[in-house]
Amino acid sequence: MTVSTVKPENLEFDAPASALRLKDILKTLPKECFQKNSRKAWSAALFSVAVVALGYWGLAVAPWFLLPVLWIFTGTALTGFFVIGHDCGHRSFAKRRWVNDLVGHLFMMPLIYPFHSWRILHNFHHTHTNKLDIDNAWQPFQTEYYDSLPRSLQNGYEGLRGRFWWVGSIVHWAGIHFTLAEFQPKDHSKVKLSVAVVLIFAAIAFPTLILTTGIWGFVKFWLMPWLVYHFWMSTFTLVHHTAPDIAFYPEEQWNAADSQLSGTVHCNYPGWVESLCHDINVHVPHHISTAIPSYNLRMAYQSLQQNWGNRLYKECNFSWALMKEITDQCHLYHPEACYRSFTDYRQGQ
C-alpha cells in the first residue's frame, strides 16, 4: 500500500520530546486515513457475523475433542465483535451517531458489555494514556498504595499482574461498567440504557440456552468462547501499553503526544488473530487519533513509521516469552526504572 507522506525533515522539528504535540503528528498522516468507507465498515461487520456463526456451527456439530480449538476460534471471532463496537464507540464506523450507537449495542450485547459504559470509560483512557494515578487501563500501583492494601487485595493484584493477567479484563468489565458512581450525572441515562440492554439480553438468552441445551450447553456455547474473548481483551490491552521500559508519568510530567506515540506498543500476532480481530493490534495510530477506522490503521501505521520511526516504541511479536517478560517484571511503579517487580520490591524492603 502506498501512502502520501510528509518527511520529518520538512517539519523542522528538533524540539525536545516534551514539546511534541499531537497536531505535529496528525498533520503528517494521509487524509485517507480518516476517511470512513461504509463498504469496508459493513463488510467487516458482516465478516465478523459470518465467522462467529461458523464457530457456533462448529461447536454444535464437532466431536468433543475439537471443542478447545473451536472455543479458541469462536472466542477470537467474538473479539472481532468487540472491535466493531470499538469503532462505533469512537464514531469511526458510520457517519451518523445513531448508527454507531445501534451497531455498537448490537455487537457488544452478546459479550454482555454495556456499550455506553465502555465508550465513556475507554475515551477517558485515550485522554489520559499512561498518566499515573489517572489512566484507567492497566496502570501499575505505586508502592505506597500497594502497601496500604490488605493482603487479600495484594494477592489479587499480584495475580492479575502475574500469570493470571488473562482474568484482568473480566475484573475490569465487572468492576466498573455497571456502577453509576463511575460516571458523571450527565451520562447516567446513557449508562442505564446500555446496562439495561445487556441485562435484558442475558435474562432472555441465558435461560433459553440452558433450557434448550442444559448447563453444559451454556458452558459450551457461551462461557468458554466468552472466556477466550476476555483472554484476548486482557492480552491486547496489557501489551498495548506495558513493557519494562514504558513509563507512566505523573500529571506534571505527562505529555500527550509522547505517551500516545512512544507509550503504545505495536505487537504482531498470528495472521488469523489479526484478521478476526480487525487489526486492533495496530494500536499506535489509534492512539494518535481515534477517528481512524480499523481498516485504515495499517495505512496510518506505515506513515508513522516513515515520519516518526525514531520515536516509535520497538515492535514485538506475541509469544509466551513476551508475556513472561511483562508478567515477571511489570508490577509496581518505579519513578526511575518504570517498573519494579514484586520480588525486587520485597528484597529491597
Side-chain angles (χ1 to χ4, degrees), residues 38-74:
S38 58
R39 179 184 62 81
K40 290 182 179 179
W42 286 105
S43 294
L46 291 174
F47 171 77
S48 280
V49 171
V51 293
V52 167
L54 178 63
Y56 281 120
W57 173 81
L59 288 171
V61 302
W64 66 267
F65 55 84
L66 289 180
L67 290 181
V69 174
L70 287 163
W71 285 330
I72 292 171
F73 175 84
T74 308

Side-chain angles (χ1 to χ4, degrees), residues 82-304:
F82 178 85
V83 179
I84 298 298
H86 179 269
D87 271 15
C88 292
H90 289 302
R91 313 306 191 193
S92 61
F93 180 85
K95 294 180 180 179
R96 296 182 182 276
R97 178 166 294 190
W98 72 266
V99 176
N100 285 306
D101 287 349
L102 176 61
V103 175
H105 276 93
L106 289 174
F107 273 80
M108 296 181 80
M109 184 171 59
L111 308 173
I112 317 300
Y113 226 126
F115 173 72
H116 282 306
S117 302
W118 167 82
R119 178 183 63 81
I120 294 164
L121 293 174
H122 183 68
N123 282 332
F124 185 88
H125 159 65
H126 275 276
T127 304
H128 303 284
T129 303
N130 288 24
K131 186 184 292 183
L132 192 66
D133 287 334
I134 298 178
D135 190 1
N136 59 7
W138 288 98
Q139 71 159 293
F141 284 0
Q142 297 191 60
T143 55
E144 295 82 0
Y145 179 69
Y146 171 78
D147 288 338
S148 72
L149 296 174
R151 188 56 196 164
S152 59
L153 292 181
Q154 289 181 348
N155 288 337
Y157 176 71
E158 290 174 17
L160 295 178
R161 279 285 172 176
R163 298 295 187 261
F164 291 93
W165 86 87
W166 49 274
V167 181
S169 174
I170 298 176
V171 174
H172 181 73
W173 160 79
I176 62 177
H177 291 87
F178 296 86
T179 306
L180 284 178
E182 297 288 339
F183 303 91
Q184 297 182 17
K186 66 182 180 64
D187 295 319
H188 283 186
S189 60
K190 292 180 179 179
V191 172
K192 288 178 181 178
L193 170 65
S194 294
V195 170
V197 166
V198 298
L199 291 182
I200 292 171
F201 174 85
I204 296 172
F206 290 174
T208 302
L209 186 59
I210 293 171
L211 286 172
T212 55
T213 65
I215 295 296
W216 170 240
F218 174 79
V219 172
K220 174 181 173 180
F221 290 107
W222 188 81
L223 181 61
M224 295 307 294
W226 185 77
L227 290 175
V228 172
Y229 151 71
H230 272 290
F231 167 86
W232 286 120
M233 285 292 292
S234 299
T235 301
F236 286 143
T237 310
L238 178 63
V239 172
H240 280 162
H241 299 287
T242 311
D245 51 350
I246 288 184
F248 277 71
Y249 293 100
E251 187 169 11
E252 62 274 10
Q253 300 174 12
W254 183 82
N255 174 269
D258 283 333
S259 293
Q260 310 290 17
L261 183 64
S262 305
T264 305
V265 177
H266 178 96
C267 182
N268 298 304
Y269 292 80
W272 67 274
V273 174
E274 296 182 356
S275 296
L276 291 178
C277 299
H278 304 294
D279 292 332
I280 193 62
N281 61 297
V282 187
H283 204 62
V284 183
H286 175 62
H287 266 270
I288 299 304
S289 174
T290 58
I292 301 174
S294 56
Y295 46 81
N296 288 336
L297 289 174
R298 290 194 181 276
M299 179 198 304
Y301 185 62
Q302 182 180 339
S303 176
L304 291 174

Side-chain angles (χ1 to χ4, degrees), residues 268-342:
N268 298 304
Y269 292 80
W272 67 274
V273 174
E274 296 182 356
S275 296
L276 291 178
C277 299
H278 304 294
D279 292 332
I280 193 62
N281 61 297
V282 187
H283 204 62
V284 183
H286 175 62
H287 266 270
I288 299 304
S289 174
T290 58
I292 301 174
S294 56
Y295 46 81
N296 288 336
L297 289 174
R298 290 194 181 276
M299 179 198 304
Y301 185 62
Q302 182 180 339
S303 176
L304 291 174
Q305 287 177 303
Q306 293 171 348
N307 293 317
W308 301 96
N310 63 323
R311 292 184 184 272
L312 291 174
Y313 187 79
K314 62 183 182 292
E315 290 188 11
C316 62
N317 296 316
F318 176 67
S319 65
W320 170 245
L322 171 69
M323 300 313 299
K324 186 175 185 299
E325 178 185 40
I326 292 174
T327 57
D328 280 351
Q329 300 181 41
C330 301
H331 297 157
L332 297 166
Y333 170 74
H334 192 288
E336 297 175 357
C338 298
Y339 283 99
R340 194 176 189 182
S341 72
F342 294 123

